[in-house]
Amino acid sequence: MEDDEEPPMAVQIQPDISVGKIFSVEESSDVVSVGVTVITGYLGAGKSTLVNYILNGKHGKRIAVILNEFGEEIGVERAMINEGEGGALVEEWVELANGCICCTVKHSLVQALEQLVQRKDRLDHILLETTGLANPAPLASILWLDEQLESEVKLDCIITVVDAKNLRFQLNERRDSSSFPEAFNQIAFADTIIMNKVDLISQEESDELEKEIHSINSLANVICTVRCQVDLSNILNCQAYDSTHVSRLESLLEANKSLTTTDLHDSGVRTLCISEPQPIDLDKVRLWLEDILWDKKMEMDVYRCKAVLNIQNSDQLHILQAVREIYEIVPARKWSEEEDRGNKIVFIGHKLDEEVLRSGLRDCRP
Amino acid sequence: MASESDASSIATLSCARCQKPAHLQCPKCMDLKLPREEASFCTQECFKAAWSSHKAVHVKAQLSSIAKSLPGDQNSDLISQGWLYCVKKGQARTPKLPHFDWTGPLKQYPISTKRLVPAEIEKPDWAVDGTPKIEPNSDLQRVVEIKTPEQIQRMRETCKIAREVLDAAARVIRPGVTTDEIDRVVHEATIAAGGYPSPLNYYFFPKSCCTSVNEVICHGIPDARKLEDGDIVNVDVTVCYKGCHGDLNETYFVGNVDEASRQLVKCTYECLEKAIAIVKPGVRFREIGEIVNRHATMSGLSVVRSYCGHGIGDLFHCAPNIPHYAKNKAVGVMKAGQTFTIEPMINAGLWRDRIWPDGWTAVTADGKRSAQFEHTLLVTETGVEVLTARLPSSPDVYPWLSK
């Protein structure tokens, strides 16, 4: 210890800026979160090709790729991270925290991704590549976090890569078993579908397949590619689960006036679009949706649901998003004076009963 | 230019020597992060005049911090006796204090060796190798179980035992007692009742209960630190009896606690009380978060978001997940026969949490205090039954509960 005989110079007291911040207990910081894109698809469809294409492209973005073997359950122990910048691939192992559920809100996969973002200088995007036959629904529920958690990661988009040459065969597999082949789930849950290897089929076949895909999922964006060479702006930063980013949803609903699948494939997995011009009651809508999503009313199995809603007594356009049982309805922006304030709801699923859904929506009128 | 509110906060500081308004502070006190009130002076002259007596404040603070960090104190004695610091989520131990930018005054202390459980006690599958196998793969992680009358009766039994074990822990709390001693009481009381302390070796958690002091939010590991007068401490007990779990926790006062801490604990108690009041068939699980958040925010406090309430029964943790913050997407509505916990963690400062090097202890990121209360609940046809409710024999520790 120094022997201070002489006092040091006292310093000017600065206003305590940090004190002001602490007072606002409910402040929301401007957390910039890194988008996570889930890439799924059959073995050999071209997922790895797509991933390599993204990693090696001269786009100046730092992207981490995580290879995962989810299969049916998410109890994975380790993921490998490839990070490419100008072609250099760096591999490292990220240990997922032993799947300790222990009353934590965030799944260990999310925690591992957050740790990754914290450790890296700058990460622009994360790609989560699932291997084999994987249904992306469980992943979506884990990654679609509440905004209140202000996580450093957020679900950006679900992409399915399909093999143009083999898709028809994969969809027809159904005839041999009672459950749906994964192809239907992967298409139904996707935000974007990359139809790869189109060079191996004719233009007519390609058009047919696209129609087929849209009959399962009318909302997905279908991109035809050769060797997965796709414009990155189509697959990164889609913000498909961002409640405030409505424009993509609106344009989808606008562009596809007749989204309802007319020719009923014997798959039974299809898209249904219903509308209602009058404003509807929010509480009734919630109960109606919960009936369908949580209680599986009339045995309808809804995989995805998106809607633009006109809620009674609100000047805000509301957006509805649902993946399996998880849903949210949030106000997105003010209605503009001129626009048509109708409700438009799109369901993607199995055993959808149009009449039941239409009358249910009608009953949501105040 | 300082804003109006800033100007007024400076104006309230007075010179430690002559009480005139102060605009200067001692740089040494700033370095040592000592309170501003005793470090403020009106002029360099006043500061100089006060120096010879003022500098004693630095000496005291420095001595105290050295004593706490020197291994040459009780901690080193303990290390030589086999007490070690916990790291890697409980899977490893080390003789040296891990490096960390501790968010508040608290740090890790060494922990005692593993407590044994007699062979005749029925144990869950993680007791031996630290890794639950049945629980993570169960359907009950996705579907909320409706308990049969027989299961409900077993839950009542387990929860009563858990309550009695927690009460036993509460009775030993006072300044000078270590959290390790609290753990010993919990461990022995649980075994005496024929149960297994669920936390023990759950994903390698090293002890039989969680003890969370001051800025620790939850999952604090019982260790060699002695409770101090003015501390608040949460004890979280889960008992596994005849294959069925019962989970509860309470935050206790150690000696004389300051007003802010008393308010924090009382408000947290009320958050749980108000949440329980809405439990009945048909209520959405996500509503719990709205209630807790409303009451906490109204009192100027924040709600921890990283941890949630959970289903419980034959599994320690299962569906549903019940967040305590508002605007959450929790799935499902309450139905008669369901059992789950509600366990709000409320912070005096901001909601964010960080994890210690031991991989378990969650602390407030800003170092301010946190309190928690928890009950295991059963939804009945008309409302709720609090399975872990206080008993007539429960110790009288909350002033707002006594007549």
Side-chain angles (χ1 to χ4, degrees), chain A residues 10-11 146 148 150 290, chain B residues 23 25 44 284 305 325 352:
Chain A
V11 298
D146 291 325
Q148 294 275 327
E150 293 182 16
E290 288 164 9
Chain B
H23 298 283
Q25 57 184 338
Q44 183 65 24
R284 294 182 181 97
R305 300 181 192 180
Y325 53 87
R352 283 178 196 77

Side-chain angles (χ1 to χ4, degrees), chain B residues 126 158 161-163 165-166 186 190 195-200 207-210 235-241 244-249 310 312-313 315-317 341 343 374 376 388:
Chain B
W126 60 81
T158 302
I161 293 173
R163 160 53 65 180
V165 169
L166 181 64
V186 167
T190 305
Y196 178 92
S198 309
L200 185 59
K207 291 291 161 196
S208 305
C209 68
C210 299
V235 181
D236 191 337
V237 163
T238 305
V239 168
C240 181
Y241 181 68
C244 178
H245 300 265
D247 188 357
L248 79 161
N249 73 55
H310 54 92
I312 186 171
L315 300 182
F316 190 174
H317 298 97
T341 70
E343 46 185 287
E374 174 185 22
T376 295
T388 46

Side-chain angles (χ1 to χ4, degrees), chain A residues 98-101, chain B residues 89 126 130-132 135-136 201-205 360:
Chain A
N98 266 336
C100 169
I101 304 156
Chain B
K89 287 212 88 170
W126 60 81
T131 309
E135 186 173 287
N201 218 19
Y202 181 72
Y203 290 105
F204 302 101
F205 186 81
W360 277 103

Side-chain angles (χ1 to χ4, degrees), chain A residues 275-280 310 340-343 365:
Chain A
S275 58
E276 167 57 54
Q278 307 267 15
I280 49 182
N310 177 6
D340 161 29
R341 299 189 186 191
N343 296 283
R365 288 194 217 155

